[in-house]
Amino acid sequence: MRADAVRTRKQLLDAAAELFAEGGAEVSVAEIAERAGIGKGTVFRHFATKEDLIAAIVGDLLDDLVDAAEKRGSLREFMVYGVGRLADNRALCDVASGSVRHPDVQAGVERLNEAAQRLVDRAETREGVTGRDVVLLMTGVHQAAAPLRDAEPELWRRYLGFLLDGLLDTGSSAPHSRT
Amino acid sequence: MRADAVRTRKQLLDAAAELFAEGGAEVSVAEIAERAGIGKGTVFRHFATKEDLIAAIVGDLLDDLVDAAEKRGSLREFMVYGVGRLADNRALCDVASGSVRHPDVQAGVERLNEAAQRLVDRAETREGVTGRDVVLLMTGVHQAAAPLRDAEPELWRRYLGFLLDGLLDTGSSAPHSRT
DNA sequence: ACCTGAACACCGTTCAAGT
DNA sequence: ACCTGAACACCGTTCAAGT
Protein backbone atom coordinates (compact mmCIF):
# COMPACT_ATOMS: atom_id res chain seq x y z
CA MET A 1 0.00 0.00 0.00
CA ARG A 2 1.30 3.42 -0.96
CA ALA A 3 2.16 5.94 1.74
CA ASP A 4 -0.62 8.37 0.78
CA ALA A 5 -3.15 5.55 0.88
CA VAL A 6 -2.06 4.63 4.40
CA ARG A 7 -2.64 8.21 5.44
CA THR A 8 -6.05 8.37 3.75
CA ARG A 9 -7.11 5.15 5.41
CA LYS A 10 -6.15 6.42 8.83
CA GLN A 11 -8.10 9.66 8.31
CA LEU A 12 -11.09 7.59 7.23
CA LEU A 13 -10.94 5.25 10.24
CA ASP A 14 -10.49 8.14 12.70
CA ALA A 15 -13.45 10.03 11.28
CA ALA A 16 -15.61 6.89 11.20
CA ALA A 17 -14.73 5.90 14.78
CA GLU A 18 -15.66 9.35 16.05
CA LEU A 19 -18.88 9.74 14.08
CA PHE A 20 -20.13 6.18 14.63
CA ALA A 21 -19.49 6.55 18.38
CA GLU A 22 -21.63 9.68 18.51
CA GLY A 23 -24.33 8.84 15.99
CA GLY A 24 -24.30 5.09 15.49
CA ALA A 25 -24.33 3.23 12.21
CA GLU A 26 -26.84 5.59 10.67
CA VAL A 27 -24.36 8.41 9.97
CA SER A 28 -23.98 8.67 6.22
CA VAL A 29 -20.91 7.77 4.21
CA ALA A 30 -20.96 11.31 2.81
CA GLU A 31 -20.62 12.77 6.33
CA ILE A 32 -17.74 10.47 7.17
CA ALA A 33 -15.95 11.29 3.92
CA GLU A 34 -16.37 15.00 4.55
CA ARG A 35 -15.08 14.75 8.12
CA ALA A 36 -12.12 12.71 6.87
CA GLY A 37 -11.45 15.27 4.15
CA ILE A 38 -11.67 12.71 1.34
CA GLY A 39 -14.02 11.99 -1.56
CA LYS A 40 -17.09 9.81 -1.08
CA GLY A 41 -15.86 7.28 -3.63
CA THR A 42 -12.59 6.84 -1.73
CA VAL A 43 -14.44 5.29 1.21
CA PHE A 44 -15.43 2.40 -1.06
CA ARG A 45 -11.88 2.01 -2.28
CA HIS A 46 -10.86 1.07 1.29
CA PHE A 47 -14.03 -0.74 2.37
CA ALA A 48 -16.26 -2.55 -0.10
CA THR A 49 -19.43 -1.63 1.79
CA LYS A 50 -20.46 0.67 4.63
CA GLU A 51 -21.05 -2.47 6.74
CA ASP A 52 -17.40 -3.45 6.29
CA LEU A 53 -16.35 -0.05 7.62
CA ILE A 54 -18.63 -0.39 10.62
CA ALA A 55 -17.30 -3.88 11.27
CA ALA A 56 -13.73 -2.55 11.32
CA ILE A 57 -14.61 0.10 13.91
CA VAL A 58 -16.76 -2.17 16.02
CA GLY A 59 -14.16 -4.93 15.92
CA ASP A 60 -11.77 -2.73 17.90
CA LEU A 61 -14.47 -1.98 20.45
CA LEU A 62 -15.19 -5.68 20.90
CA ASP A 63 -11.48 -6.43 21.30
CA ASP A 64 -11.37 -3.85 24.07
CA LEU A 65 -14.23 -5.65 25.82
CA VAL A 66 -12.45 -8.98 25.48
CA ASP A 67 -9.36 -7.40 27.07
CA ALA A 68 -11.54 -6.09 29.88
CA ALA A 69 -13.00 -9.53 30.48
CA GLU A 70 -9.50 -10.93 30.79
CA LYS A 71 -8.16 -8.20 33.03
CA ARG A 72 -11.10 -7.48 35.32
CA GLY A 73 -11.24 -9.72 38.33
CA SER A 74 -14.93 -10.50 38.68
CA LEU A 75 -17.96 -11.11 36.52
CA ARG A 76 -19.67 -8.22 38.24
CA GLU A 77 -16.85 -5.77 37.46
CA PHE A 78 -16.82 -6.88 33.83
CA MET A 79 -20.53 -6.36 33.45
CA VAL A 80 -20.33 -2.88 34.95
CA TYR A 81 -17.51 -2.03 32.54
CA GLY A 82 -19.28 -3.53 29.53
CA VAL A 83 -22.63 -1.84 30.04
CA GLY A 84 -20.74 1.41 30.62
CA ARG A 85 -19.08 1.05 27.23
CA LEU A 86 -22.43 0.36 25.59
CA ALA A 87 -23.77 3.50 27.22
CA ASP A 88 -21.11 5.73 25.70
CA ASN A 89 -20.75 4.33 22.19
CA ARG A 90 -23.70 4.25 19.80
CA ALA A 91 -21.94 1.98 17.34
CA LEU A 92 -21.70 -0.67 20.04
CA CYS A 93 -25.43 -0.20 20.70
CA ASP A 94 -26.17 -0.95 17.06
CA VAL A 95 -24.27 -4.22 17.41
CA ALA A 96 -26.22 -5.00 20.56
CA SER A 97 -29.54 -4.32 18.88
CA GLY A 98 -28.64 -6.75 16.12
CA SER A 99 -28.77 -4.18 13.31
CA VAL A 100 -25.15 -5.01 12.40
CA ARG A 101 -24.90 -8.59 11.17
CA HIS A 102 -21.41 -8.61 9.67
CA PRO A 103 -19.49 -11.94 9.95
CA ASP A 104 -16.44 -10.20 11.51
CA VAL A 105 -18.71 -8.69 14.15
CA GLN A 106 -20.30 -12.06 14.87
CA ALA A 107 -16.81 -13.54 15.30
CA GLY A 108 -15.91 -10.71 17.70
CA VAL A 109 -19.06 -11.31 19.74
CA GLU A 110 -18.19 -15.01 19.83
CA ARG A 111 -14.74 -14.23 21.27
CA LEU A 112 -16.42 -12.00 23.84
CA ASN A 113 -18.83 -14.80 24.76
CA GLU A 114 -15.87 -17.10 25.41
CA ALA A 115 -14.04 -14.53 27.51
CA ALA A 116 -17.23 -13.99 29.53
CA GLN A 117 -17.55 -17.74 29.96
CA ARG A 118 -14.16 -17.83 31.69
CA LEU A 119 -15.43 -15.24 34.16
CA VAL A 120 -18.62 -17.23 34.73
CA ASP A 121 -16.54 -20.33 35.46
CA ARG A 122 -14.83 -18.48 38.29
CA ALA A 123 -18.01 -16.87 39.64
CA GLU A 124 -20.89 -18.14 41.74
CA THR A 125 -23.83 -17.88 39.41
CA ARG A 126 -27.07 -19.77 39.31
CA GLU A 127 -26.89 -23.02 37.40
CA GLY A 128 -26.79 -23.09 33.63
CA VAL A 129 -25.71 -19.49 33.10
CA THR A 130 -23.27 -19.17 30.18
CA GLY A 131 -20.89 -16.48 28.93
CA ARG A 132 -23.28 -15.91 26.06
CA ASP A 133 -26.11 -15.25 28.53
CA VAL A 134 -23.94 -12.69 30.30
CA VAL A 135 -23.14 -10.82 27.07
CA LEU A 136 -26.75 -10.84 25.90
CA LEU A 137 -28.04 -9.71 29.29
CA MET A 138 -25.55 -6.84 29.38
CA THR A 139 -27.02 -5.58 26.11
CA GLY A 140 -30.52 -6.06 27.50
CA VAL A 141 -29.74 -3.99 30.59
CA HIS A 142 -28.31 -1.23 28.48
CA GLN A 143 -31.19 -1.19 26.04
CA ALA A 144 -33.74 -1.12 28.85
CA ALA A 145 -32.12 2.05 30.19
CA ALA A 146 -31.32 3.58 26.77
CA PRO A 147 -34.60 5.50 26.25
CA LEU A 148 -33.72 7.57 29.32
CA ARG A 149 -30.06 7.93 28.37
CA ASP A 150 -30.21 11.72 28.58
CA ALA A 151 -32.61 12.14 31.49
CA GLU A 152 -31.05 9.49 33.76
CA PRO A 153 -27.63 8.49 32.43
CA GLU A 154 -26.89 6.22 35.40
CA LEU A 155 -30.16 4.26 35.29
CA TRP A 156 -28.41 1.21 33.83
CA ARG A 157 -26.50 0.74 37.08
CA ARG A 158 -29.74 0.20 38.94
CA TYR A 159 -31.05 -2.24 36.34
CA LEU A 160 -27.76 -4.12 36.29
CA GLY A 161 -28.14 -4.43 40.05
CA PHE A 162 -31.56 -6.05 39.65
CA LEU A 163 -30.18 -8.49 37.11
CA LEU A 164 -27.12 -9.39 39.16
CA ASP A 165 -29.36 -10.18 42.11
CA GLY A 166 -31.22 -12.64 39.93
CA LEU A 167 -28.07 -14.00 38.31
CA LEU A 168 -25.52 -14.36 41.08
CA ASP A 169 -25.76 -17.10 43.64
CA THR A 170 -25.26 -15.42 46.98
CA GLY A 171 -24.75 -18.75 48.66
CA SER A 172 -26.02 -18.12 52.19
CA SER A 173 -29.76 -17.68 51.67
CA ALA A 174 -31.98 -19.20 48.99
CA PRO A 175 -32.52 -16.22 46.71
CA HIS A 176 -34.21 -17.99 43.84
CA SER A 177 -36.85 -19.95 45.65
CA ARG A 178 -40.38 -18.64 45.67
CA THR A 179 -42.57 -19.09 48.71
CA MET B 1 -64.94 10.95 4.62
CA ARG B 2 -66.21 9.35 1.43
CA ALA B 3 -67.08 5.67 1.38
CA ASP B 4 -64.29 4.72 -1.05
CA ALA B 5 -61.76 6.56 1.13
CA VAL B 6 -62.86 4.58 4.18
CA ARG B 7 -62.27 1.39 2.24
CA THR B 8 -58.87 2.54 1.00
CA ARG B 9 -57.82 3.51 4.51
CA LYS B 10 -58.79 0.12 5.89
CA GLN B 11 -56.82 -1.68 3.17
CA LEU B 12 -53.84 0.51 3.97
CA LEU B 13 -54.02 -0.11 7.73
CA ASP B 14 -54.47 -3.86 7.28
CA ALA B 15 -51.49 -4.11 4.94
CA ALA B 16 -49.34 -1.93 7.20
CA ALA B 17 -50.24 -3.89 10.36
CA GLU B 18 -49.31 -7.15 8.69
CA LEU B 19 -46.06 -5.98 7.08
CA PHE B 20 -44.84 -3.98 10.09
CA ALA B 21 -45.51 -6.97 12.35
CA GLU B 22 -43.35 -9.19 10.14
CA GLY B 23 -40.64 -6.78 9.07
CA GLY B 24 -40.69 -3.86 11.50
CA ALA B 25 -40.63 -0.19 10.65
CA GLU B 26 -38.11 -0.67 7.86
CA VAL B 27 -40.57 -2.07 5.32
CA SER B 28 -40.93 0.51 2.58
CA VAL B 29 -44.00 2.61 1.87
CA ALA B 30 -43.92 1.24 -1.69
CA GLU B 31 -44.26 -2.35 -0.39
CA ILE B 32 -47.17 -1.40 1.86
CA ALA B 33 -48.94 0.45 -0.97
CA GLU B 34 -48.50 -2.53 -3.26
CA ARG B 35 -49.82 -5.00 -0.67
CA ALA B 36 -52.79 -2.69 -0.03
CA GLY B 37 -53.42 -2.42 -3.78
CA ILE B 38 -53.21 1.37 -3.79
CA GLY B 39 -50.84 4.00 -5.20
CA LYS B 40 -47.77 5.13 -3.27
CA GLY B 41 -49.02 8.71 -3.12
CA THR B 42 -52.29 7.61 -1.53
CA VAL B 43 -50.46 6.51 1.60
CA PHE B 44 -49.47 10.12 2.21
CA ARG B 45 -53.03 11.29 1.64
CA HIS B 46 -54.07 9.30 4.74
CA PHE B 47 -50.92 9.74 6.84
CA ALA B 48 -48.68 12.77 6.49
CA THR B 49 -45.52 10.76 7.14
CA LYS B 50 -44.49 7.12 7.37
CA GLU B 51 -43.93 7.70 11.10
CA ASP B 52 -47.59 8.69 11.51
CA LEU B 53 -48.62 5.42 9.89
CA ILE B 54 -46.34 3.43 12.19
CA ALA B 55 -47.69 5.32 15.19
CA ALA B 56 -51.27 4.39 14.23
CA ILE B 57 -50.38 0.69 14.04
CA VAL B 58 -48.26 0.67 17.16
CA GLY B 59 -50.87 2.62 19.11
CA ASP B 60 -53.25 -0.33 18.80
CA LEU B 61 -50.56 -2.72 20.00
CA LEU B 62 -49.86 -0.53 23.03
CA ASP B 63 -53.58 -0.32 23.83
CA ASP B 64 -53.68 -4.10 23.81
CA LEU B 65 -50.85 -4.18 26.33
CA VAL B 66 -52.63 -1.66 28.55
CA ASP B 67 -55.72 -3.90 28.43
CA ALA B 68 -53.57 -6.85 29.38
CA ALA B 69 -52.11 -4.96 32.33
CA GLU B 70 -55.63 -4.25 33.54
CA LYS B 71 -56.97 -7.75 33.04
CA ARG B 72 -54.03 -9.91 34.07
CA GLY B 73 -53.92 -10.61 37.78
CA SER B 74 -50.25 -10.35 38.61
CA LEU B 75 -47.19 -8.36 37.62
CA ARG B 76 -45.48 -11.60 36.65
CA GLU B 77 -48.29 -12.65 34.33
CA PHE B 78 -48.31 -9.23 32.68
CA MET B 79 -44.59 -9.32 32.06
CA VAL B 80 -44.81 -12.78 30.51
CA TYR B 81 -47.59 -11.58 28.24
CA GLY B 82 -45.82 -8.34 27.32
CA VAL B 83 -42.46 -9.87 26.43
CA GLY B 84 -44.34 -12.50 24.44
CA ARG B 85 -46.00 -9.76 22.38
CA LEU B 86 -42.64 -8.09 21.81
CA ALA B 87 -41.29 -11.42 20.62
CA ASP B 88 -43.94 -11.81 17.92
CA ASN B 89 -44.27 -8.27 16.58
CA ARG B 90 -41.32 -6.47 15.03
CA ALA B 91 -43.08 -3.11 15.03
CA LEU B 92 -43.33 -3.30 18.80
CA CYS B 93 -39.61 -4.12 18.94
CA ASP B 94 -38.85 -0.93 17.03
CA VAL B 95 -40.76 1.02 19.65
CA ALA B 96 -38.83 -0.75 22.39
CA SER B 97 -35.50 -0.01 20.75
CA GLY B 98 -36.39 3.68 20.66
CA SER B 99 -36.24 4.01 16.88
CA VAL B 100 -39.86 5.24 16.85
CA ARG B 101 -40.13 8.55 18.66
CA HIS B 102 -43.61 9.70 17.64
CA PRO B 103 -45.55 11.74 20.24
CA ASP B 104 -48.59 9.43 20.00
CA VAL B 105 -46.33 6.47 20.70
CA GLN B 106 -44.75 8.21 23.68
CA ALA B 107 -48.24 8.91 25.02
CA GLY B 108 -49.14 5.23 24.56
CA VAL B 109 -46.02 4.13 26.42
CA GLU B 110 -46.89 6.56 29.19
CA ARG B 111 -50.34 4.99 29.55
CA LEU B 112 -48.67 1.59 29.68
CA ASN B 113 -46.28 2.79 32.38
CA GLU B 114 -49.24 3.89 34.48
CA ALA B 115 -51.07 0.59 34.01
CA ALA B 116 -47.90 -1.25 35.01
CA GLN B 117 -47.60 0.97 38.06
CA ARG B 118 -51.00 -0.24 39.26
CA LEU B 119 -49.72 -3.83 39.05
CA VAL B 120 -46.55 -2.90 40.91
CA ASP B 121 -48.64 -1.34 43.68
CA ARG B 122 -50.37 -4.66 44.21
CA ALA B 123 -47.18 -6.75 43.97
CA GLU B 124 -44.33 -7.45 46.35
CA THR B 125 -41.36 -5.90 44.60
CA ARG B 126 -38.12 -4.57 45.95
CA GLU B 127 -38.30 -0.96 47.05
CA GLY B 128 -38.39 1.87 44.54
CA VAL B 129 -39.46 -0.17 41.52
CA THR B 130 -41.88 1.76 39.29
CA GLY B 131 -44.22 0.86 36.46
CA ARG B 132 -41.83 2.58 34.09
CA ASP B 133 -39.01 0.31 35.31
CA VAL B 134 -41.18 -2.71 34.62
CA VAL B 135 -41.96 -1.60 31.05
CA LEU B 136 -38.35 -0.74 30.28
CA LEU B 137 -37.07 -3.99 31.76
CA MET B 138 -39.56 -6.00 29.69
CA THR B 139 -38.06 -4.47 26.57
CA GLY B 140 -34.57 -5.17 27.87
CA VAL B 141 -35.36 -8.83 28.44
CA HIS B 142 -36.78 -9.13 24.97
CA GLN B 143 -33.89 -7.40 23.30
CA ALA B 144 -31.35 -9.51 25.16
CA ALA B 145 -32.96 -12.64 23.73
CA ALA B 146 -33.74 -11.16 20.30
CA PRO B 147 -30.46 -12.08 18.54
CA LEU B 148 -31.35 -15.75 19.10
CA ARG B 149 -34.99 -15.29 18.17
CA ASP B 150 -34.84 -18.01 15.51
CA ALA B 151 -32.45 -20.43 17.19
CA GLU B 152 -34.02 -20.31 20.68
CA PRO B 153 -37.45 -18.65 20.48
CA GLU B 154 -38.20 -19.30 24.16
CA LEU B 155 -34.96 -17.90 25.55
CA TRP B 156 -36.70 -14.74 26.79
CA ARG B 157 -38.64 -16.82 29.32
CA ARG B 158 -35.41 -17.82 31.00
CA TYR B 159 -34.09 -14.26 31.05
CA LEU B 160 -37.37 -12.95 32.37
CA GLY B 161 -37.03 -15.50 35.16
CA PHE B 162 -33.60 -14.11 36.09
CA LEU B 163 -34.98 -10.59 36.17
CA LEU B 164 -38.05 -11.49 38.21
CA ASP B 165 -35.82 -13.13 40.80
CA GLY B 166 -33.96 -9.84 41.15
CA LEU B 167 -37.11 -7.75 41.03
CA LEU B 168 -39.66 -9.53 43.15
CA ASP B 169 -39.43 -9.54 46.89
CA THR B 170 -39.87 -13.12 47.98
CA GLY B 171 -40.40 -12.08 51.56
CA SER B 172 -39.06 -15.03 53.55
CA SER B 173 -35.35 -14.97 52.81
CA ALA B 174 -33.11 -11.99 52.07
CA PRO B 175 -32.56 -12.37 48.35
CA HIS B 176 -30.88 -9.04 47.70
CA SER B 177 -28.25 -9.03 50.38
CA ARG B 178 -24.69 -9.87 49.43
CA THR B 179 -22.52 -11.79 51.83
C1' DA C 1 -62.95 14.42 -2.66
C1' DC C 2 -60.01 11.18 -3.68
C1' DC C 3 -56.32 8.72 -6.15
C1' DT C 4 -52.12 8.38 -9.00
C1' DG C 5 -47.42 8.18 -10.81
C1' DA C 6 -43.81 11.21 -12.33
C1' DA C 7 -40.48 14.22 -10.02
C1' DC C 8 -37.41 15.59 -6.03
C1' DA C 9 -33.81 15.20 -2.45
C1' DC C 10 -31.77 11.90 -0.07
C1' DC C 11 -29.16 7.36 0.59
C1' DG C 12 -25.29 3.51 -0.50
C1' DT C 13 -22.67 2.06 -4.37
C1' DT C 14 -20.24 2.04 -9.04
C1' DC C 15 -17.10 3.53 -12.36
C1' DA C 16 -14.99 6.36 -16.11
C1' DA C 17 -11.90 9.90 -15.92
C1' DG C 18 -8.26 12.16 -13.78
C1' DT C 19 -3.37 12.40 -10.89
C1' DA D 1 -1.98 3.04 -7.42
C1' DC D 2 -4.83 5.94 -5.77
C1' DC D 3 -8.52 9.45 -5.66
C1' DT D 4 -12.70 11.83 -7.35
C1' DG D 5 -17.41 13.33 -8.44
C1' DA D 6 -21.01 12.42 -11.74
C1' DA D 7 -24.35 8.70 -12.41
C1' DC D 8 -27.43 4.83 -10.73
C1' DA D 9 -31.06 2.47 -8.04
C1' DC D 10 -33.14 2.94 -4.00
C1' DC D 11 -35.75 5.56 -0.24
C1' DG D 12 -39.63 8.96 1.84
C1' DT D 13 -42.22 12.82 0.30
C1' DT D 14 -44.63 16.24 -2.87
C1' DC D 15 -47.75 17.68 -6.25
C1' DA D 16 -49.84 18.53 -10.89
C1' DA D 17 -52.91 15.97 -13.38
C1' DG D 18 -56.58 12.86 -13.64
C1' DT D 19 -61.44 10.57 -11.90
Side-chain angles (χ1 to χ4, degrees):
Chain A
M1 193 153 71
R2 234 164 58 179
D4 57 347
V6 173
R7 202 174 112 77
T8 299
R9 190 187 181 87
K10 182 172 165 25
Q11 287 171 329
L12 169 55
L13 284 169
D14 288 348
E18 194 177 335
L19 289 174
F20 283 145
E22 289 164 13
E26 76 187 40
V27 298
S28 72
V29 171
E31 281 177 278
I32 294 165
E34 195 189 6
R35 171 80 69 109
I38 63 179
K40 213 168 62 158
T42 309
V43 172
F44 295 95
R45 180 151 233 287
H46 289 267
F47 296 92
T49 68
K50 186 188 177 186
E51 282 273 296
D52 286 334
L53 175 57
I54 296 166
I57 300 298
V58 155
D60 289 344
L61 297 170
L62 289 172
D63 287 345
D64 170 69
L65 287 175
V66 170
D67 276 4
E70 272 151 12
K71 270 158 199 155
R72 308 259 151 182
S74 72
L75 182 62
R76 175 182 227 104
E77 268 184 84
F78 166 65
M79 291 183 81
V80 170
Y81 179 78
V83 181
R85 293 311 313 256
L86 281 164
D88 64 36
N89 194 304
R90 304 256 182 176
L92 218 42
C93 301
D94 286 335
V95 174
S97 74
S99 57
V100 183
R101 265 179 291 276
H102 195 283
D104 289 1
V105 170
Q106 277 179 257
V109 170
E110 192 49 47
R111 289 199 311 277
L112 185 58
N113 288 347
E114 287 159 13
Q117 182 62 56
R118 290 189 285 274
L119 285 173
V120 169
D121 290 340
R122 287 193 276 121
E124 304 273 328
T125 66
R126 65 152 71 190
E127 248 189 64
V129 173
T130 66
R132 192 195 67 181
D133 291 331
V134 165
V135 170
L136 289 174
L137 289 166
M138 280 181 4
T139 71
V141 164
H142 166 254
Q143 286 174 97
L148 295 169
R149 182 199 288 264
D150 297 323
E152 298 183 38
E154 302 294 310
L155 182 60
W156 63 266
R157 292 182 192 276
R158 206 169 132 250
Y159 290 169
L160 181 55
F162 295 168
L163 174 65
L164 282 166
D165 280 348
L167 211 57
L168 297 180
D169 192 350
T170 55
S172 61
S173 60
H176 308 127
S177 67
R178 282 160 57 211
T179 47
Chain B
M1 195 155 69
R2 234 165 60 181
D4 57 347
V6 173
R7 200 173 115 72
T8 299
R9 190 186 181 87
K10 180 170 165 27
Q11 287 172 328
L12 169 55
L13 284 169
D14 287 349
E18 193 177 337
L19 289 174
F20 283 144
E22 289 164 12
E26 75 188 42
V27 299
S28 74
V29 170
E31 281 178 278
I32 294 165
E34 195 189 7
R35 172 79 70 111
I38 63 179
K40 213 169 59 159
T42 309
V43 173
F44 294 96
R45 179 150 234 287
H46 289 266
F47 297 92
T49 67
K50 187 189 178 187
E51 281 273 296
D52 286 334
L53 175 56
I54 296 167
I57 300 297
V58 156
D60 289 344
L61 297 170
L62 290 172
D63 286 345
D64 171 69
L65 287 175
V66 171
D67 275 4
E70 272 151 12
K71 271 157 198 157
R72 307 260 152 182
S74 71
L75 182 61
R76 176 184 227 103
E77 268 183 85
F78 166 65
M79 291 183 80
V80 170
Y81 179 77
V83 181
R85 292 312 312 256
L86 280 164
D88 65 34
N89 194 305
R90 303 256 182 177
L92 218 42
C93 301
D94 285 336
V95 174
S97 73
S99 57
V100 182
R101 265 178 292 276
H102 195 282
D104 289 1
V105 170
Q106 278 178 257
V109 171
E110 193 48 48
R111 289 199 311 278
L112 186 58
N113 289 347
E114 287 158 14
Q117 182 63 54
R118 291 190 283 273
L119 286 174
V120 169
D121 290 340
R122 286 193 276 121
E124 305 271 328
T125 65
R126 66 153 69 191
E127 248 189 64
V129 173
T130 67
R132 192 196 66 182
D133 290 332
V134 165
V135 171
L136 289 174
L137 288 165
M138 280 180 3
T139 70
V141 164
H142 166 255
Q143 286 173 97
L148 294 169
R149 184 199 285 265
D150 298 324
E152 298 183 39
E154 302 294 310
L155 182 59
W156 63 267
R157 292 182 191 277
R158 207 169 131 249
Y159 290 169
L160 182 55
F162 295 168
L163 174 66
L164 282 166
D165 281 348
L167 212 58
L168 297 180
D169 192 351
T170 54
S172 61
S173 60
H176 309 126
S177 67
R178 283 160 56 210
T179 48

